[in-house]
Amino acid sequence: KKMAILRIEDKSEDEMAKIANLSEAELWKRYRNWFFDWPRERAMQYIDFHCRHITLGEVGAALSHWNIIQDAYRDQVPLLVVFEDDARPKRCAFSRLREEIEILEKNDFAWDLIYIRASLYSKTAEEKLEVPGSSLYLARHRKVTDAYCLSRRGIAKIEKSNFAKHLIAFDEFLPSLHSEHPRKDVMLLPSIKSARGPEGTFVGLSFGDEVLSEMARV
C-alpha cells in the first residue's frame, strides 16, 4: 500500500500524479528523507510514530480538551487545571501548584502552561526557571500529558488558535506551542503559529522530575 508522503496542499495535480506513480522503494526513500536532519540513532525509532494517522481516540481526546478550553474562555476562568479521567492528583499536587503560581505572580512572571504530569521526550535537559523561589523548569518537548494547568493568557491563546480546524493529537499540539515538533509541517499549522505568536511567546513550564499525579488503579 502506497503512502501519502508529501503534503497535498503544497503540491499541484501534476506533482501529485508523479508521486502516485512512484515505486514503493522510491516512496520509502522520500519518506525517510523528510527526516535527514534527525539524529540517526533516534530517527527510525520515532519517524513512524510522528507520521502515524490520528486515531479516533486521539480525535475524541483532542476535542474534549478543546471544548474544556473553550468553556473556560467563555466563562472567564482565571486558571484551568485539567486531569484526564485516568489521572489522580497526589496529596501535595494542588498545594504545590498553588505555591508555584503565587511565586510567579509575586515576581510578575507571565506564563501560559504548567505541566503537572507529562513525560519528557526531549534529550536536552530542561533549564531551571530563573525566578526567585521557584522550583519550576522551562518545559521542553513533553508527551503522555495527563495533567496540566493553563493561565488565563494560555487559555485565550489556545481558544483563539482555531485548533479544531487543524486537529492533531493534543499531546502533539501542546509541546509544539512552547518547544519544537520533530515535523516541520506541524510547526507550520495555522493553529500552532497563532498560539505561539509571531515571537514564539507561549511559555510552558514543568515541575521537572517532581511527580504530582499518578495513574488510577483499576
Side-chain angles (χ1 to χ4, degrees):
K1 182 179 179 181
K2 290 190 176 182
M3 300 175 302
I5 63 165
L6 297 176
R7 296 201 304 276
I8 292 175
E9 66 270 21
D10 290 345
K11 302 298 171 187
S12 67
E13 290 185 9
D14 288 343
E15 289 173 313
M16 290 305 298
K18 290 178 182 178
I19 292 169
N21 291 323
L22 291 175
S23 69
E24 191 77 13
E26 290 170 323
L27 285 169
W28 273 111
K29 184 177 179 180
R30 289 200 181 192
Y31 178 60
R32 301 300 186 191
N33 284 344
W34 259 7
F35 306 94
F36 72 93
D37 55 346
W38 282 29
R40 179 169 294 276
E41 72 276 8
R42 302 190 73 199
M44 294 303 104
Q45 185 178 0
Y46 290 108
I47 285 176
D48 289 341
F49 173 77
H50 287 300
C51 291
R52 73 196 188 281
H53 288 294
I54 189 169
T55 66
L56 290 178
E58 288 174 324
V59 170
L63 290 175
S64 293
H65 286 283
W66 172 240
N67 290 336
I68 290 170
I69 291 169
Q70 284 188 304
D71 289 345
Y73 180 79
R74 184 190 63 242
D75 296 340
Q76 300 184 353
V77 172
L79 201 69
L80 176 64
V81 178
V82 177
F83 279 79
E84 294 199 339
D85 56 4
D86 56 355
R88 299 292 183 269
K90 290 197 169 184
R91 190 179 298 274
C92 64
F94 292 108
S95 60
R96 283 288 293 117
L97 181 61
R98 183 170 58 247
E99 175 188 348
E100 290 293 343
I101 290 173
E102 288 175 353
I103 290 171
L104 297 176
E105 290 176 347
K106 180 181 177 181
N107 288 276
D108 294 320
F109 184 86
W111 59 280
D112 300 295
L113 163 72
I114 299 176
Y115 288 103
I116 298 173
R117 174 171 162 162
S119 299
L120 180 63
Y121 269 55
S122 172
K123 276 198 166 183
T124 304
E126 294 177 327
E127 297 179 15
K128 187 79 167 56
L129 183 64
E130 294 184 1
V131 170
S134 176
S135 299
L136 296 177
Y137 292 79
L138 292 170
R140 295 193 66 85
H141 196 99
R142 285 179 170 265
K143 285 198 188 324
V144 198
T145 302
D146 59 28
Y148 62 92
C149 175
L150 292 172
S151 67
R152 179 62 185 168
R153 190 180 83 158
I155 293 168
K157 287 181 179 180
I158 295 177
E159 196 280 335
K160 294 176 181 177
S161 73
N162 287 321
F163 168 65
K165 290 187 176 181
H166 315 96
L167 197 71
I168 60 175
F170 203 68
D171 249 9
E172 306 283 345
F173 179 69
L174 280 184
S176 301
L177 302 183
H178 59 80
S179 183
E180 293 290 330
H181 193 281
R183 279 179 53 177
K184 297 178 180 64
D185 58 327
V186 170
M187 294 301 295
L188 293 174
L189 288 173
S191 57
I192 289 174
K193 292 175 70 175
S194 171
R196 285 177 67 96
E199 304 298 325
T201 55
F202 194 99
V203 179
L205 306 172
S206 81
F207 280 89
D209 294 331
E210 186 177 358
V211 179
L212 298 179
S213 78
E214 56 191 359
M215 299 298 290
R217 297 175 181 174
V218 180

